[in-house]
Amino acid sequence: MSGNVSPDEPPLAAQVLGLLARRGQTVAVAESLTGGLLAAALTGIPGASRAFLGSVTAYATEAKRDVLGVDGAVLAERGPVDAEVARQLALGVQELLDADWGVATTGVAGPEPQDGKPVGTVHVAVSGPRTGGVVAQRLNLRGDRAAIRASSVRAALTLLRNELIVAREEQGGEGTAAGQDTEQNGEDGCLQP
């Protein structure tokens, strides 16, 4: 599934919140490069409070470590723009806010590369109620800073929506294995299937 929505479909954030509400589940988000845009997309939907618990904008590396519990050794070795960091951010905010689901974004929006990672390198992750169920996705996005941040929000919401659908279809199955990574390339800020 792509992040594209037909004119007849509700916005992606509304789809996610609807899936969560129907299941009686909650979500919390940890954001770095998106700086609150993911939380804003969710809270922009009427009735979001039925499923959205809150967010942590952990922009500084120290906040990722000290507030959300990302392993300091991982941060020192790999830097903050990494799939494992995204996984730990998702798990950290899920635990901190006692949510059923955690979602995280970390990456380089530009205009300059960061820690040797090129502009447009983004990792999004979703942790769910399944035992060990954390999925991370690497994105290689193009566009300006605003486009990269907006595409990161769409990617995070799409990943969460897809995980909610998989979990619903499996109804308590193991689902996606812990640590699974996928990669997508984007052009001009759009995700390509």
Side-chain angles (χ1 to χ4, degrees), residues 166-191:
V166 167
R168 180 182 68 196
E169 290 170 354
E170 293 176 349
Q171 295 182 348
E174 285 298 312
T176 307
Q180 177 178 341
D181 287 323
T182 59
E183 185 169 337
Q184 291 188 352
N185 291 307
E187 184 164 332
D188 300 325
C190 296
L191 295 178

Side-chain angles (χ1 to χ4, degrees), residues 64-92:
K64 292 173 179 66
R65 181 191 65 223
D66 298 342
V67 177
L68 292 171
V70 176
D71 186 317
V74 171
L75 287 165
E77 180 183 323
R78 302 180 185 185
V81 180
D82 181 80
E84 181 58 27
V85 171
R87 283 188 205 96
Q88 290 186 27
L89 287 169
L91 285 167

Side-chain angles (χ1 to χ4, degrees), residues 7-192:
D8 296 331
E9 286 185 275
L12 193 50
Q15 292 176 40
V16 164
L17 290 168
L19 287 166
L20 287 164
R22 283 192 291 280
R23 297 168 67 132
Q25 293 182 328
T26 57
V27 66
V29 300
E31 301 186 65
S32 186
L33 85 150
T34 51
L37 293 175
L38 180 53
L42 291 165
T43 59
I45 304 300
S49 62
R50 290 181 295 169
F52 180 69
L53 294 181
S55 65
V56 174
T57 300
Y59 209 64
T61 300
E62 295 78 14
K64 292 173 179 66
R65 181 191 65 223
D66 298 342
V67 177
L68 292 171
V70 176
D71 186 317
V74 171
L75 287 165
E77 180 183 323
R78 302 180 185 185
V81 180
D82 181 80
E84 181 58 27
V85 171
R87 283 188 205 96
Q88 290 186 27
L89 287 169
L91 285 167
V93 78
Q94 180 184 14
E95 182 179 315
L96 180 69
L97 297 182
D98 195 25
D100 296 301
W101 295 84
V103 182
T105 65
T106 187
V108 184
E112 301 296 326
Q114 177 184 338
D115 298 325
K117 307 284 173 65
V119 172
T121 303
V122 174
H123 297 272
V124 296
V126 170
S127 60
R130 298 168 298 188
T131 304
V134 184
V135 170
Q137 182 178 55
R138 178 187 166 124
L139 308 166
N140 296 308
L141 302 174
R142 294 184 187 95
D144 64 13
R145 184 174 174 82
I148 289 169
R149 293 173 79 211
S151 291
S152 299
V153 169
R154 281 193 305 277
L157 288 171
T158 299
L159 185 60
L160 177 57
R161 180 191 63 191
N162 293 346
E163 287 300 298
L164 285 162
I165 290 169
V166 167
R168 180 182 68 196
E169 290 170 354
E170 293 176 349
Q171 295 182 348
E174 285 298 312
T176 307
Q180 177 178 341
D181 287 323
T182 59
E183 185 169 337
Q184 291 188 352
N185 291 307
E187 184 164 332
D188 300 325
C190 296
L191 295 178
Q192 303 295 322

